[in-house]
């Protein structure tokens, strides 16, 4: 009989694996990848270098980074058939659902999809990192009846995504901010989407099945889908003068305020702090302070009401404003979360499989006592 370790709703506080990848201190608001604080990575690193750090669990040497970047460049285009499948789907399909379908189709073009050895998974992850970015840009344009843009090999991963989405080379500032956002979203220990992908990986299923499970989990508004809901709430408020009463009414109705609260952070999410800084900078440059002003009032109002209960802005609260000022539509915010978090999903898969044990928790039985079948005549 397996020893029970107790029941915790939503597995709160349950340690499901040991990992060297990401450290979170929810009381102090600390986040670090392989021991490197997120503030230093966003200051000095790039998404490409951070992806290497998480996939190989070390910072790359100059030549290793150059080779990694070169390999990313090689895979920026998609198999034609993936585009053909997308074009047959209803144009109004949710982008996260389109991304989930497209990743599944990508798996059909992998000659060895079921190979889960470390080196092979690292190679598959690298391809998914860049192809999911291309897919999201293609989906963003296809929804508006626009043709895909050919990737630009002179541009970084972040800059090329913005270029493939908008058709215009981004400013260095916009590319830098987007690169920071990708670094911030790359991993976060065992949230629902990473746990889901790790559960699938622990059965020795293929990486495409694991990533589709993760995409399904991230799509939910309580997880990655919150960023899209935040910006729609800010747009609905519309005027800074309406922000406080709007939030107070929601709180009176005991409604959940999207972009706030976190299972781990009981203080300000360090990612939200960094994104708030860039959101303010972009708002000033855009001469369009309204969105940011509304967000600041929403933040103040929610913290006044719920801060004492450890409810503060999380990563999803300011990410939407950054993307809004970069000219990206809300429906793409969660796919953008996914094209960064594919790094974390793959990194945890690779790490867990090194000492794999299939995930199989149990339930506490609260059903009827053991009895007997009742024939239908007696019911
Ligand atoms: C992400 O886990 C991760 O790391 C995820 C993530 C990542 O990088 O992968 O950080 C990304 O998913 C960020 C979270 C984005 N989601 C949202 O912003 C949705 C709004 N947040 C809430 O749904 C909630 O805070 C969660 C889902 C994020 C956390 O849920 P928990 O830990 O299960 O907390 P809970 O729902 O049990 O809430 C505890 C109490 C409840 O009140 P009571 O029933 O005890 O009276 O706090 C309240 C909740 O109602 N509460 C909120 C609230 N969040 C919690 N009340 C109002 N607004 C909120 N946002």
């Amino acid at each position: 009989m397996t020893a029970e370790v107790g029941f915790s709703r939503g597995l709160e506080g349950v340690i499901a694996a040991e990992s060297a990848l990401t450290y979170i201190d929810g009381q102090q608001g600390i986040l670090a990848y392989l021991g490197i604080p997120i503030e230093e990575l966003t200051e000095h690193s790039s998404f490409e270098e951070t992806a290497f750090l998480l996939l190989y669990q070390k910072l790359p040497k100059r030549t290793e980074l150059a080779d990694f970047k070169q390999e990313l460049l090689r895979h920026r285009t998609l198999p034609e058939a993936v585009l053909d499948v997308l074009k047959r789907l209803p144009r109004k399909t949710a982008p996260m659902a389109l991304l989930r379908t497209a990743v599944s189709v990508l798996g059909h073009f992998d000659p060895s999809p079921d190979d889960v050895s470390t080196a092979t998974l690292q190679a598959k992850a690298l391809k998914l990192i860049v192809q999911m970015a291309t897919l999201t840009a293609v989906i963003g344009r296809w929804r508006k009846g626009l043709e895909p843009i050919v990737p630009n090999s002179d541009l970084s991963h972040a800059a090329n995504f913005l270029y493939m989405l908008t058709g215009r080379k981004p400013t260095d500032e916009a590319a830098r901010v987007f690169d920071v956002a990708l670094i911030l979203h790359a991993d976060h220990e065992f949230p629902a989407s990473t746990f889901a992908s790790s559960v699938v990986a622990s059965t020795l299923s293929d990486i495409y099945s694991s990533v589709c499970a993760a995409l399904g989990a991230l799509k939910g508004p309580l997880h990655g889908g919150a960023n899209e809901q935040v910006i729609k709430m800010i747009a609905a408020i519309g005027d800074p003068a309406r922000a406080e009463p709007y939030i107070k009414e929601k709180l009176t109705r005991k409604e959940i305020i999207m972009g706030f609260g976190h299972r781990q952070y009981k203080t300000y999410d360090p990612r939200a702090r960094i994104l708030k800084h860039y959101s303010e900078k972009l708002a000033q440059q855009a001469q369009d302070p309204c969105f940011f002003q509304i967000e600041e009032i929403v933040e103040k109002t929610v913290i006044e009401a719920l801060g004492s209960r450890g409810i503060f802005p999380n990563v999803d609260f300011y990410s939407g404003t950054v993307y809004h000022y970069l000219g990206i539509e809300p429906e793409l915010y969660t796919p953008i979360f996914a094209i960064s978090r594919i790094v974390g999903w793959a990194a945890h898969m690779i790490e867990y499989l090194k000492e794999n044990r299939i995930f199989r928790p149990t339930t506490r039985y609260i059903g009827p006592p053991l009895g007997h079948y009742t024939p239908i005549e007696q019911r």
Side-chain angles (χ1 to χ4, degrees):
M1 175 75 174
T2 307
E4 263 199 13
V5 290
F7 169 57
S8 169
R9 282 185 68 71
L11 297 182
E12 177 158 16
V14 172
I15 297 172
E18 290 183 325
S19 172
L21 294 171
T22 290
Y23 172 71
I24 296 171
D25 179 327
Q27 299 304 325
Q28 306 294 321
I30 296 171
L31 171 61
Y33 298 157
L34 282 298
I36 306 170
I38 197 72
E39 293 78 5
E40 293 185 31
L41 285 168
T42 50
E43 182 74 26
H44 305 299
S45 188
S46 65
F47 176 64
E48 292 93 327
E49 186 177 67
T50 301
F52 187 103
L53 170 67
L54 287 162
L55 289 176
Y56 294 89
Q57 297 203 16
K58 68 177 179 94
L59 283 171
K61 293 184 175 58
R62 198 180 298 279
T63 51
E64 288 171 323
L65 182 57
D67 293 346
F68 189 74
K69 283 181 174 178
Q70 197 51 42
E71 198 56 15
L72 286 170
L73 285 183
R74 251 173 27 87
H75 296 294
R76 277 184 177 171
T77 47
L78 298 167
E80 263 312 305
V82 176
L83 302 175
D84 293 345
V85 168
L86 277 182
K87 286 174 187 161
R88 294 177 181 281
L89 300 174
R91 213 176 281 274
K92 63 174 179 31
T93 307
M96 277 297 278
L98 290 171
L99 190 55
R100 189 187 61 214
T101 301
V103 165
S104 199
V105 174
L106 277 178
H108 305 325
F109 291 89
D110 182 335
S112 59
D114 300 319
D115 185 338
V116 292
S117 59
T118 297
T120 308
L121 281 180
Q122 286 164 334
K124 292 181 192 301
L126 182 151
K127 274 182 79 173
L128 279 168
I129 288 167
V130 69
Q131 291 190 334
M132 284 173 65
T134 297
L135 273 168
T136 299
V138 166
I139 288 166
R141 294 181 64 80
W142 175 71
R143 297 179 80 245
K144 294 190 276 189
L146 299 172
E147 285 303 307
I149 297 278
V150 174
N152 181 328
S153 54
D154 296 333
L155 298 177
S156 69
H157 183 80
N160 181 62
F161 172 80
L162 293 174
Y163 169 68
M164 290 188 75
L165 179 64
T166 64
R168 297 182 305 279
K169 278 192 188 178
T171 62
D172 291 347
E173 164 91 9
R176 177 74 192 118
V177 173
F178 192 69
D179 191 60
V180 165
L182 291 175
I183 293 170
L184 289 171
H185 285 84
D187 189 47
H188 208 241
E189 200 215 65
F190 249 22
S193 56
T194 311
F195 182 57
S197 54
S198 296
V199 167
V200 174
S202 77
T203 71
L204 301 187
S205 186
D206 64 293
I207 188 170
Y208 304 95
S209 300
S210 296
V211 173
C212 285
L215 286 165
L218 188 72
K219 181 172 178 286
L222 291 189
H223 189 6
N227 53 19
E228 181 179 339
Q229 303 305 319
V230 167
I231 215 70
K232 287 180 175 171
M233 173 179 72
I234 301 302
I237 293 172
D239 175 340
R242 292 190 57 239
E244 186 175 347
Y246 181 98
I247 292 298
K248 286 189 170 169
E249 279 163 36
K250 281 180 80 75
L251 291 170
T252 307
R253 295 195 299 267
K254 288 250 181 260
E255 289 179 20
I256 294 289
I257 314 292
M258 289 296 163
F260 288 85
H262 200 279
R263 177 64 61 80
Q264 303 281 77
Y265 294 119
K266 300 310 170 193
T267 184
Y268 217 105
D269 183 331
R271 301 167 296 176
R273 204 179 293 286
I274 295 170
L275 287 165
K276 178 177 182 178
H277 162 74
Y278 285 104
S279 180
E280 186 167 24
K281 269 182 79 175
L282 291 171
Q284 284 157 0
Q285 290 165 9
Q287 275 92 46
D288 167 18
C290 183
F291 260 69
F292 183 75
Q293 285 167 352
I294 292 172
E295 283 208 307
E296 279 202 302
I297 298 167
V298 168
E299 172 186 326
K300 183 172 173 297
T301 310
V302 173
I303 292 176
E304 276 168 4
L306 300 176
S308 58
R309 298 175 58 193
I311 296 169
F312 289 86
N314 60 51
V315 67
D316 285 276
F317 188 59
Y318 283 106
S319 58
T321 343
V322 165
Y323 302 146
H324 164 78
Y325 285 123
L326 292 178
I328 301 171
E329 66 263 34
E331 292 72 19
L332 293 184
Y333 294 177
T334 309
I336 287 170
F337 192 142
I339 68 173
S340 170
R341 186 55 59 83
I342 172 63
V343 175
W345 296 334
H348 280 278
M349 237 178 264
I350 291 162
E351 181 182 53
Y352 189 79
L353 285 173
K354 286 177 180 162
E355 287 187 63
N356 187 43
R357 185 152 195 247
I358 192 169
F359 280 104
R360 203 290 184 202
T362 183
T363 61
R364 174 174 293 154
Y365 180 69
I366 56 170
L370 280 180
H372 297 287
Y373 179 77
T374 307
I376 195 162
E377 303 75 35
Q378 297 170 26
R379 290 178 215 158

